């Protein structure tokens, strides 16, 4: 049977523990990393085996999640933490939703290795900001007590994201489009994606939109590198004369939707 130390360092009845079973030390069995409300965590090391676990509470000095105690970061109660190898370097990183309802789901990088986890905070949001991190009750998107799952649902060998808005009863799906920036950050895009109407195409330097837009425009090269990011406010065109002739992939986040398209620049 499962044996677990009954004297957690941070536990009380109001702390709402969230347990995460993950092989954090790469020894072939599952350990238990526990998140409570606010900034409290416990680390239970499995000193038994995969078939006969024995979870023993470790001191704070050995807790790889103890970074929160000395930081100003509080995390949201009752949200799921997901341990995933986000940067594909062979060890577990994790995602965490801040207690602030204005901040997105952030990624914490394991700067140690698979056997010795050392987590560092990051300013990189896991999802695009079209929906993530905005508590918009009027439009039915609370993102409060958000529940997240990372799974390759479309069988294309990368992780996509399902997000359950606990209070809004909304399930959002983000597809991993495999577009990366210069920091090799993977971007998950919201499901609400449609074609982006622009003209003329080929473009001679001034790209026109089919209607007045307010949002964020991203322009990627053919290799998937982000070349240009422009905030657009009540505009119906953009100048591209600073780009070389060639083919580009464009994305516009506006009106809580994502539009995408391909253009050819021929000045």
């Amino acid at each position: 049977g499962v044996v677990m130390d009954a004297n957690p360092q941070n536990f009380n009845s109001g702390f709402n523990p969230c347990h995460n079973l993950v092989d954090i030390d790469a020894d072939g069995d599952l350990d238990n990393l526990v998140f409570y409300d606010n900034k409290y965590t416990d680390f239970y090391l499995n000193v038994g085996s995969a078939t006969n676990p024995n979870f023993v509470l470790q001191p704070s000095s050995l807790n790889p999640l103890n970074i929160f105690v000395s930081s100003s970061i509080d995390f949201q109660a009752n949200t799921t933490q997901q341990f995933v190898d986000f940067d594909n370097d062979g060890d577990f990183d994790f995602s965490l939703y801040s207690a602030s309802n204005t901040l997105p789901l952030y990624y914490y990088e394991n700067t140690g290795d698979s056997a010795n986890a050392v987590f560092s905070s990051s300013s990189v949001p896991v999802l695009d900001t079209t929906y993530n991190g905005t508590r918009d009750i009027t439009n039915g998107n609370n993102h409060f007590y958000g529940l997240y799952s990372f799974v390759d649902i479309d069988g294309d060998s990368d992780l996509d994201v399902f997000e359950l808005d606990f209070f809004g009863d909304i399930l959002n799906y983000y597809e991993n489009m495999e577009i990366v920036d210069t920091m090799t950050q993977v971007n998950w895009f919201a499901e609400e994606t449609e074609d982006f109407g622009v003209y003329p195409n080929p473009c001679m330097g001034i790209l026109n939109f089919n209607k007045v837009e307010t949002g964020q425009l991203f322009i990627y090269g053919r290799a998937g590198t982000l070349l240009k990011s422009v905030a657009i406010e009540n505009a119906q065109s953009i100048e591209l004369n600073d780009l070389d002739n060639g083919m580009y992939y464009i994305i516009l986040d506006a009106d809580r939707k994502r539009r995408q398209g391909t253009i050819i620049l021929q000045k």
Side-chain angles (χ1 to χ4, degrees), residues 40-54:
Y40 303 109
T41 64
D42 277 331
F43 173 39
Y44 290 86
L45 179 67
N46 187 352
V47 299
S49 66
T51 55
N52 292 287
N54 182 11

Side-chain angles (χ1 to χ4, degrees), residues 43-95:
F43 173 39
Y44 290 86
L45 179 67
N46 187 352
V47 299
S49 66
T51 55
N52 292 287
N54 182 11
F55 296 98
V56 175
L57 179 65
Q58 301 299 294
S60 297
S61 60
L62 298 179
N63 182 355
L65 300 175
N66 208 41
I67 56 172
F68 294 107
V69 173
S70 58
S71 74
S72 60
I73 301 172
D74 294 345
F75 39 82
Q76 181 58 58
N78 297 328
T79 59
T80 54
Q81 303 82 33
Q82 293 291 326
F83 285 84
V84 178
D85 186 4
F86 285 108
D87 51 4
N88 198 31
D89 64 350
D91 55 38
F92 284 108
D93 315 293
F94 72 94
S95 63

Side-chain angles (χ1 to χ4, degrees), residues 59-248:
S60 297
S61 60
L62 298 179
N63 182 355
L65 300 175
N66 208 41
I67 56 172
F68 294 107
V69 173
S70 58
S71 74
S72 60
I73 301 172
D74 294 345
F75 39 82
Q76 181 58 58
N78 297 328
T79 59
T80 54
Q81 303 82 33
Q82 293 291 326
F83 285 84
V84 178
D85 186 4
F86 285 108
D87 51 4
N88 198 31
D89 64 350
D91 55 38
F92 284 108
D93 315 293
F94 72 94
S95 63
L96 191 70
Y97 189 50
S98 168
S100 169
N101 56 29
T102 61
L103 293 177
L105 184 75
Y106 278 123
Y107 147 68
Y108 286 76
E109 182 183 0
N110 186 349
T111 56
D113 54 43
S114 60
N116 298 282
V118 178
F119 292 112
S120 299
S121 62
S122 168
S123 60
V124 176
V126 174
L127 305 178
D128 73 342
T129 56
T130 305
Y131 291 99
N132 181 45
T134 303
R135 191 181 184 199
D136 185 357
I137 298 176
T138 302
N139 291 307
N141 292 282
N142 278 329
H143 295 273
F144 203 58
Y145 298 163
L147 306 176
Y148 298 88
S149 295
F150 295 82
V151 60
D152 181 14
I153 196 65
D154 52 3
D156 62 353
S157 300
D158 57 38
L159 293 173
D160 310 295
V161 185
F162 285 93
E163 174 191 52
L164 176 62
D165 185 333
F166 187 78
F167 283 133
D169 293 328
I170 295 173
L171 181 65
N172 290 320
Y173 168 58
Y174 296 80
E175 182 181 355
N176 188 340
M177 303 295 289
E178 297 187 64
I179 293 178
V180 297
D181 64 15
T182 54
M183 298 296 290
T184 68
Q185 171 197 343
V186 177
N187 291 302
W188 281 276
F189 296 158
E191 182 184 25
E192 291 78 0
T193 301
E194 58 187 43
D195 291 337
F196 188 14
V198 294
Y199 66 93
N201 193 7
C203 170
M204 293 180 290
I206 302 295
L207 186 67
N208 300 299
F209 314 140
N210 284 347
K211 64 183 183 69
V212 174
E213 302 281 7
T214 296
Q216 192 76 19
L217 181 73
F218 304 92
I219 301 178
Y220 294 86
R222 296 185 67 179
T225 302
L226 178 62
L227 303 177
K228 193 179 183 73
S229 176
V230 182
I232 296 174
E233 185 172 355
N234 296 322
Q236 198 164 354
S237 65
I238 184 174
E239 180 183 336
L240 301 178
N241 286 320
D242 56 332
L243 298 176
D244 296 330
N245 288 343
M247 181 178 291
Y248 297 92

